[in-house]
């Protein structure tokens, strides 16, 4: 485990070096995301024992988007178990964009993993609860417990996504037709859209990730939030599918399980040690934040955090 001085130096250095990067572009297929200031850039590290190191815009609340898929996965995997999840959703990369309909057609309707939209909506349809409200209470309750305080939906994001989520609704109906949707498809898509609209800061995200780094225990409260046995399955999913179609390149270059979202957040976990979250809205062609990737890659290489490099 690096010293806190070394951690602080690496985080500050990454912020200084990459704040000036101007590559990439905010997501705009969700209109709200195009309006977030592109120069925002924050990095937060939370260790498995609860120490926090930050640089830049770490309190700005942005849309969690796809990173929410990780926490809904945690809820469902703890409820139905890793084997059932693998049967109902899958655990392999699709090799296609995150919202591909073709991928569903090519695999007999099976979504293949919980991080593409199809698999995420199917995962959300498995959230325990007798009504959409009860399911929502579980989803937001789970995310809030990980963050250590109450998280809220950004209603503007939710409206912007709801007005434009016809493609995701289409995916949900398609899954239903193949028997891979486990509740009403429209209700599941709405819950999924809401979970993507939850506002988090880079500091929140690092705290949430630190629960995975600490094998399922919250680093500050000490409460167990995930079954220990399921943490490795979640890290495996992140490793395989967390960075969209760049997951292989990311693993090759950085060697850390991570999950990215089109809101500009990236969350990486160093098992047993820490979580590193970075946020900056401009994305590369794969949908991953340019500055966030550069920052995490830099910190990982400075501190030799690569899980395959030991
Ligand atoms: N709500 C977004 C969508 O469904 C999330 C995408 C993402 O962050 O990958 O398109």
């Amino acid at each position: 485990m690096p010293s806190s001085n070394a951690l602080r130096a690496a985080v500050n250095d990454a912020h200084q070096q990459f704040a000036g990067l101007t590559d990439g572009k905010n997501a705009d297929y969700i209109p709200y995301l195009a309006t977030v200031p592109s120069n925002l850039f924050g990095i937060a590290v939370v260790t498995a024992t609860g120490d926090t190191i930050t640089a830049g815009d770490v309190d700005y609340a942005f849309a969690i988007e796809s990173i929410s898929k990780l926490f809904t996965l945690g809820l469902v995997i703890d409820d139905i178990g890793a084997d059932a999840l693998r049967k109902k959703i899958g655990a392999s990369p699709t090799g296609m964009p995150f919202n591909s309909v073709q991928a569903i057609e090519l695999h007999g309707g099976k979504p293949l993993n919980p991080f593409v939209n199809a698999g995420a909506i199917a995962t959300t349809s498995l959230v325990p609860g007798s009504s959409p409200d009860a399911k929502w209470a579980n989803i937001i309750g789970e995310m809030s417990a990980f963050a250590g305080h109450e998280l809220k939906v950004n209603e503007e994001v939710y409206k912007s996504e709801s007005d434009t989520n016809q493609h995701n609704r289409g995916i949900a109906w398609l899954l239903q037709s193949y028997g891979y949707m486990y509740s009403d498809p429209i209700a599941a898509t709405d819950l999924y859209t809401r979970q993507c609209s939850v506002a988090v800061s880079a500091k929140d995200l690092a705290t949430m990730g630190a629960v995975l780094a600490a094998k399922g225990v919250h680093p500050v409260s000490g409460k167990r939030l995930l079954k220990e046995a399921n943490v490795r399955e979640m890290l495996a999913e992140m490793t395989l599918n967390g960075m969209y179609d760049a997951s292989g390149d990311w693993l090759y270059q950085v060697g850390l399980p991570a999950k990215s979202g089109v809101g500009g957040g990236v969350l990486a976990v160093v098992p047993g040690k820490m979580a590193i979250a970075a946020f900056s809205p401009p994305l590369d062609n794969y949908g991953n934040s340019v500055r966030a990737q550069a920052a995490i890659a830099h910190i990982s290489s400075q501190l030799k955090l690569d899980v395959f490099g030991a």
Side-chain angles (χ1 to χ4, degrees):
M1 180 71 186
S3 70
S4 48
N5 276 348
L7 260 174
R8 205 165 306 117
V11 168
N12 285 334
D13 196 40
H15 191 268
Q16 237 166 33
Q17 273 203 39
F18 303 116
L21 272 186
T22 52
D23 298 344
K25 191 169 153 292
N26 286 36
D28 57 9
Y29 77 101
I30 298 167
Y32 175 92
L33 298 180
T35 68
V36 179
S38 299
N39 59 346
L40 288 166
F41 180 30
I43 309 170
V45 169
V46 174
T47 68
T49 50
D51 293 331
T52 305
I53 295 115
T54 62
D57 303 306
V58 291
D59 294 312
Y60 183 91
F62 59 92
I64 189 167
E65 296 299 342
S66 235
I67 307 170
S68 67
K69 294 169 180 174
L70 180 62
F71 304 101
T72 312
L73 168 64
L75 192 56
V76 171
I77 201 170
D78 268 11
D79 188 47
I80 67 173
D83 289 345
L85 190 105
R86 228 169 130 201
K87 264 190 218 115
K88 287 175 186 289
I89 312 276
S92 296
T94 66
M96 291 190 180
F98 69 97
N99 57 0
S100 172
V101 166
Q102 219 180 341
I104 304 171
E105 292 291 356
L106 283 174
H107 300 102
K110 193 167 182 181
L112 289 202
N113 75 70
F115 290 162
V116 289
N117 283 9
I121 300 169
T123 305
T124 300
S125 80
L126 287 164
V127 167
S130 55
S131 65
D133 282 350
K135 287 174 191 274
W136 175 248
N138 280 331
I139 294 171
I140 194 71
E142 173 94 348
M143 285 203 243
S144 299
F146 276 68
H149 68 99
E150 195 188 337
L151 295 177
K152 294 217 162 72
V153 166
N154 176 328
E155 295 295 338
E156 248 186 290
V157 176
Y158 175 53
K159 173 154 190 351
S160 186
E161 291 211 27
S162 299
D163 289 346
T164 53
N165 71 353
Q166 292 79 8
H167 187 87
N168 283 341
R169 280 186 253 168
I171 286 175
W173 279 117
L174 191 59
L175 292 176
Q176 165 94 336
S177 78
Y178 281 114
Y180 283 102
M181 177 55 52
Y182 307 101
S183 74
D184 174 73
I186 292 303
T189 311
D190 180 55
L191 283 171
Y192 164 78
T193 306
R194 254 199 271 177
Q195 80 180 41
C196 288
S197 312
V198 168
V200 289
S201 66
K203 230 196 268 175
D204 289 332
L205 212 49
T207 308
M208 295 163 90
V211 176
L212 288 154
K215 300 191 164 80
V217 172
H218 195 281
V220 180
S221 71
K223 261 197 217 150
R224 173 156 295 285
L225 299 180
L226 287 169
K227 292 180 184 156
E228 184 169 347
N230 289 332
V231 173
R232 65 167 293 284
E233 322 279 341
M234 294 172 69
L235 293 172
E237 290 289 353
M238 291 170 83
T239 305
L240 284 166
N241 303 303
M243 299 296 281
Y244 305 114
D245 285 347
S247 298
D249 282 322
W250 171 263
L251 201 62
Y252 194 87
Q253 287 166 340
V254 183
L256 290 179
K259 182 72 198 89
S260 170
V262 293
V266 179
L267 171 62
V269 175
V270 189
K273 294 185 178 157
M274 70 187 85
I276 311 168
F279 157 67
S280 191
L283 311 178
D284 64 14
N285 290 337
Y286 290 107
N288 297 313
S289 166
V290 174
R291 291 191 193 108
Q293 289 180 93
I296 296 170
H298 179 78
I299 295 167
S300 171
S301 96
Q302 289 286 101
L303 303 176
K304 305 200 182 341
L305 301 176
D306 182 336
V307 294
F308 304 109

